[in-house]
Amino acid sequence: MKHTKILNEPVLDALTQKAHHIHTLFNDHNITAFNVMASPGAGKTSLLLKTIQHLKQLYRLAVIEGDIVPIDVDKIKQTGVQVVLAHTGGSCHLDSIMMESAIKKIAIDTIDLLFVENVGNLICPANFYLGTHKNVVIASVPEGDDKPYKYPTMFQGADVVILNKIDYLNDHEFNIDYFIKGVLLTAPNTPVIQLSTKTDKGFSVWIDWLTQTKQRNQ
Amino acid sequence: MKHTKILNEPVLDALTQKAHHIHTLFNDHNITAFNVMASPGAGKTSLLLKTIQHLKQLYRLAVIEGDIVPIDVDKIKQTGVQVVLAHTGGSCHLDSIMMESAIKKIAIDTIDLLFVENVGNLICPANFYLGTHKNVVIASVPEGDDKPYKYPTMFQGADVVILNKIDYLNDHEFNIDYFIKGVLLTAPNTPVIQLSTKTDKGFSVWIDWLTQTKQRNQ
């Protein structure tokens, strides 16, 4: 399981080659890296904050925040975990050049797991391989149940799909079967983990998925 | 009020020139056009469906749907209003070339108001002027109160900001003052309309804003 699904089957251009170098660098340092992608407000940062709480005694963690402004960096900093801003300069996605600059600011000899929080966007980030091992795609209940159908490229490339904010399921017209069928249509072997970062329901499944992925990647 | 705020002060390149031609075409036909932008799942289509219910007796309406798949087109079709898919081919925004093709499929002599539903994305659409008169930016409560701070270019270009899903305000840690201050910081003269397409609360304010904008544009 050393290879992520590479989205949009990229040509081996300069960006992709750089991403492959980053991937090798991660493997050489026994780092497992996750590319976390979602719409704005789906809960990427909240998921990371809670994940750090659960895992920081078990693994040495670091976070790269792809953003224009450092709001999320400041939130992660408070956990005591290494965090670096990958400045996107207004771009709608991270690429391997931004990743390379960010990685230089991390003490990579001292970490086991790296989370990359991509720019809030369900389209562009799907087309740029960053050298990470797994693509984590988050959708959230208030966004509606049609997201896998409307953003097939993003879901196609997911190694795991997280359905966040399931505490909203009761008062929202969200057909969970329709959502899951949409994921299965585009990515038949991709697990869907239903959770709420607010109530903690389902969160242990995500933590298990992470630790198992880490173990298999060693 | 014939001119929209043009985002990112574009160079007069081919795309922008085309957008200006579209703008002139709209004016010649006495059409007022709105560019509706938001994250995926913020409620663009729901807002349009309800807006059509309110306005279809008063004005002749049409909708351009910027999307990869025609899910939203089918929903709008059921209202009986003219609707055209502007096929983005996987792109993360609409541009004036896509607009031009879509407009050719609309009977523009027969409409008063045109709504363009842009691709679900808070970044890229802000950089492409489409020839429309007003930029409508929707944010929704479950996305969190920090969106104006995190996506300043999008909010800077807004002529009106809609805060949707206010029925979630009670059970969500959403600081409404922080949100509004964020809008005012980036776009000091932009009204914020708080509404819920589910409960109808606040919806008449949006309808008033639309009808007044139409009257001033005539």
Side-chain angles (χ1 to χ4, degrees):
Chain A
M1 303 280 278
K2 287 275 176 186
H3 287 282
T4 189
K5 295 173 196 169
I6 300 174
L7 313 178
N8 258 15
E9 210 61 70
V11 189
L12 267 178
D13 58 10
L15 278 180
T16 312
Q17 272 194 335
K18 206 178 273 296
H20 282 298
H21 290 149
I22 292 172
H23 191 75
T24 306
L25 184 81
F26 288 154
N27 288 341
D28 290 348
H29 288 81
N30 204 18
I31 294 168
T32 308
F34 301 87
N35 182 7
V36 182
M37 295 175 280
S39 299
K44 294 183 294 302
T45 313
S46 308
L47 185 94
L48 289 183
L49 287 169
K50 192 150 268 191
T51 303
I52 290 168
Q53 279 175 24
H54 277 78
L55 290 183
K56 75 175 180 178
Q57 306 301 332
L58 200 59
Y59 295 113
R60 298 166 303 169
L61 310 171
V63 175
I64 291 176
E65 282 287 341
D67 234 324
I68 309 162
V69 288
I71 295 178
D72 294 336
V73 169
D74 294 341
K75 288 183 192 165
I76 302 283
K77 245 181 209 157
Q78 290 171 15
T79 65
V81 154
Q82 276 195 76
V83 56
V84 167
L85 177 69
H87 208 291
T88 58
S91 175
C92 54
H93 60 268
L94 281 174
D95 64 31
S96 55
I97 295 175
M98 301 170 194
M99 276 288 285
E100 194 183 42
S101 308
I103 290 165
K104 283 180 183 158
K105 297 177 197 153
I106 293 177
I108 56 165
D109 281 330
T110 67
I111 60 168
D112 307 307
L113 293 181
L114 174 69
F115 295 97
V116 182
E117 182 175 340
N118 216 312
V119 180
N121 186 338
L122 280 182
I123 305 164
C124 319
N127 299 314
F128 292 83
Y129 176 46
L130 303 180
T132 48
H133 296 86
K134 298 289 175 191
N135 291 320
V136 179
V137 175
I138 310 175
S140 66
V141 171
E143 291 172 66
D145 50 22
D146 58 359
K147 292 301 155 285
Y149 302 89
K150 293 186 72 176
Y151 303 94
T153 311
M154 177 57 80
F155 283 83
Q156 242 160 45
D159 292 293
V160 63
V161 170
I162 290 180
L163 178 61
N164 190 16
K165 308 193 190 181
I166 56 165
D167 46 304
Y168 284 125
L169 274 175
N170 291 340
D171 53 24
H172 202 279
E173 291 160 10
F174 188 100
N175 183 333
I176 203 151
D177 291 347
Y178 180 68
F179 177 85
I180 291 171
K181 278 177 195 166
V183 175
L184 294 179
L185 266 171
T186 49
N189 300 312
T190 302
V192 177
I193 301 177
Q194 302 174 38
L195 58 80
S196 163
T197 54
K198 198 163 137 191
T199 66
D200 248 1
K201 198 171 171 190
F203 208 83
S204 66
V205 183
W206 158 241
I207 295 297
D208 284 354
W209 183 87
L210 275 176
T211 50
Q212 279 171 33
T213 302
K214 173 64 184 161
Q215 282 162 21
R216 285 179 194 179
N217 195 47
Q218 271 169 341
Chain B
M1 302 282 278
K2 287 276 176 184
H3 287 283
T4 190
K5 295 174 197 168
I6 300 174
L7 313 180
N8 258 16
E9 211 60 70
V11 189
L12 268 177
D13 59 9
L15 278 180
T16 311
Q17 272 196 335
K18 208 179 272 295
H20 282 299
H21 289 152
I22 292 172
H23 191 74
T24 306
L25 184 81
F26 288 154
N27 287 341
D28 290 347
H29 289 80
N30 204 18
I31 295 168
T32 307
F34 301 88
N35 183 5
V36 182
M37 296 176 280
S39 299
K44 293 183 293 304
T45 313
S46 309
L47 185 93
L48 289 184
L49 287 169
K50 193 150 268 192
T51 303
I52 290 168
Q53 278 175 26
H54 276 78
L55 291 184
K56 76 175 180 179
Q57 305 303 331
L58 199 59
Y59 295 113
R60 297 166 304 170
L61 311 170
V63 175
I64 291 175
E65 283 288 339
D67 234 324
I68 310 161
V69 287
I71 294 179
D72 294 336
V73 169
D74 295 340
K75 288 183 192 166
I76 303 282
K77 245 181 210 159
Q78 290 171 15
T79 65
V81 155
Q82 276 194 75
V83 56
V84 167
L85 177 69
H87 208 291
T88 58
S91 174
C92 54
H93 60 268
L94 281 175
D95 64 31
S96 54
I97 296 174
M98 300 168 195
M99 276 287 285
E100 193 183 43
S101 309
I103 291 166
K104 283 181 183 157
K105 297 177 197 153
I106 293 176
I108 55 165
D109 281 329
T110 67
I111 60 167
D112 307 307
L113 292 180
L114 174 69
F115 295 96
V116 182
E117 182 174 340
N118 216 312
V119 181
N121 186 337
L122 280 183
I123 304 164
C124 320
N127 299 314
F128 292 83
Y129 176 45
L130 303 180
T132 48
H133 296 85
K134 297 289 176 190
N135 291 320
V136 179
V137 174
I138 311 175
S140 66
V141 171
E143 291 173 65
D145 50 22
D146 59 0
K147 293 300 154 286
Y149 302 89
K150 294 185 74 177
Y151 302 93
T153 311
M154 178 55 82
F155 282 84
Q156 244 160 43
D159 293 292
V160 64
V161 170
I162 290 179
L163 178 62
N164 190 16
K165 307 193 191 182
I166 56 165
D167 46 305
Y168 284 125
L169 273 174
N170 291 340
D171 53 24
H172 201 278
E173 291 160 10
F174 188 100
N175 184 333
I176 203 153
D177 292 346
Y178 180 68
F179 177 84
I180 291 171
K181 278 178 195 164
V183 175
L184 294 179
L185 266 171
T186 49
N189 300 312
T190 302
V192 178
I193 300 176
Q194 302 175 38
L195 57 80
S196 163
T197 54
K198 198 163 136 191
T199 67
D200 247 359
K201 201 174 169 188
F203 208 83
S204 65
V205 183
W206 158 240
I207 296 296
D208 285 353
W209 183 88
L210 276 176
T211 50
Q212 279 171 31
T213 302
K214 174 63 185 161
Q215 282 162 21
R216 285 180 195 178
N217 195 47
Q218 272 170 340

